[in-house]
Amino acid sequence: MGKHKGLGRLLIAVTFFTCGFFINIAQLLLILVVRPFDKNLSRHLMSYLTYSFYSILVCVAEWYAGTKLHVYIDPEEEKKFFGKEHGLLLMNHTYEIDWLTAWMITDKLGNLGATKAYAKKMLRYVPIMGWVWWMGEFIFLDRNFEKDKIVIKQKLIEVFSNPDPVWLLLNAEGTRFTPAKHELSVKFAKERGLPVLKHHLVPRTKGFTASLPTMRGICPSIYDINLAFKRNAEPKPTMLSQLNGEAVEPYMYIRRVPLDVVPEGEKEAAQWMQDFYVEKDKLLESFHETGSFFKTSGVKAVPEKIFKPRLCSLLNFIGWASFSVGLILYYMITSLLAGNLVGFFTVFSILAGFYGLMEYAVNASKISKSSNYGAKK
């Protein structure tokens, strides 16, 4: 069984990194060849490229691991708005695979390829994944507010000028939730008279309030995502469990909030964000205590929907896996026939490198390895 898991992770690693390498090349060609003549066409095609790359891991989660996403969503709002307009995504940053569940839901709502995020500037230099984000118009920040507020304004205008609906993810907590960071967050809240949250860190409001003036008029909505896993669920919701083919069950409540309800003043908007996170905290408290987001939170209940995996993500994975394995086998066989042992062992070195990169990425995604951002307030 362990050997099968190892082979599965190797196949996923080879497929993921081979796909990413060629996607990077295609993205660069779009920027150099198409974008100077037709920016909108370049962006439209870029969304297909980023979808192809992201859906590799969506396929792993849903088709290979069998992960089933339980979504609570207003059916009327879903039909009218979801995936049809620009939006700012707010999501709790609690689990190792919260980003993967975000990819899963945006895939089902038809927006995966056009989903972007605020991210640390250093990430754009990470080979393959960082380059996909960089060329895909993510907003990279220095975590220096004086510099970042200029970048935010410029990049928001650019991102939301896209004629296709774009969703931009903001993790307002700034870093992933851990008990140590939560303890510091509680201390910070008490010192400054802010609401004490049980399931979130105190939201950092500067990025949000700096974004609001630019977003008004070009981004009509906030999409609030509340993600939870049952506390004692096994296996644990980790990237390793997904790569090992072990199913987990995420529960998600997603709602649309018109941007117009957010007050215009900076202080008022910051207070709105604090109050909003109090309500988000009640949603998670209700889920963990009762198994329902709605029983004790005071939020109106909406129906549960279980989205089936999309066939296109499976076909995309099969296509890239076949291409990747075929390429490797061809090079190995031709190297052997030509007596090129250097070439033959080079292939093994590449395979080992891909596997090592995947293991490194899995290790880096662990909560224990999360950044120290948030340890200081």
Side-chain angles (χ1 to χ4, degrees), residues 199-219:
H199 304 284
H200 298 81
L201 305 179
V202 173
R204 296 171 178 268
T205 59
K206 281 187 176 181
F208 178 69
T209 57
S211 301
L212 281 174
T214 306
M215 288 198 305
R216 294 189 189 278
I218 59 175
C219 177

Side-chain angles (χ1 to χ4, degrees), residues 9-10 13-15 17-18 21 128 328 349-359:
R9 292 204 298 271
L10 178 60
V14 168
T15 303
F17 289 114
T18 302
F21 174 75
I128 298 181
I328 289 168
S349 299
I350 292 171
L351 290 175
F354 282 163
Y355 190 86
L357 283 172
M358 181 64 77
E359 294 297 304

Side-chain angles (χ1 to χ4, degrees), residues 245-314:
E246 299 170 350
V248 297
E249 288 198 77
Y251 293 81
M252 181 183 289
Y253 169 50
I254 180 170
R255 55 181 169 173
R256 178 182 183 269
V257 180
L259 196 69
D260 291 343
V261 306
V262 183
E264 294 202 7
E266 182 178 347
K267 289 183 179 179
E268 292 81 3
Q271 185 59 52
W272 181 90
M273 173 70 94
Q274 297 291 349
D275 294 341
F276 194 64
Y277 265 74
V278 170
E279 185 171 86
K280 286 171 67 66
D281 214 55
K282 290 179 180 177
L283 283 161
L284 292 189
E285 177 69 9
S286 179
F287 177 86
H288 288 304
E289 293 300 320
T290 71
S292 165
F293 287 111
F294 312 109
K295 278 189 179 179
T296 62
S297 65
V299 175
K300 182 182 177 182
V302 294
E304 177 187 10
K305 182 174 184 179
I306 299 177
F307 288 91
K308 294 181 180 179
R310 297 178 70 203
L311 182 61
C312 55
S313 67
L314 177 61

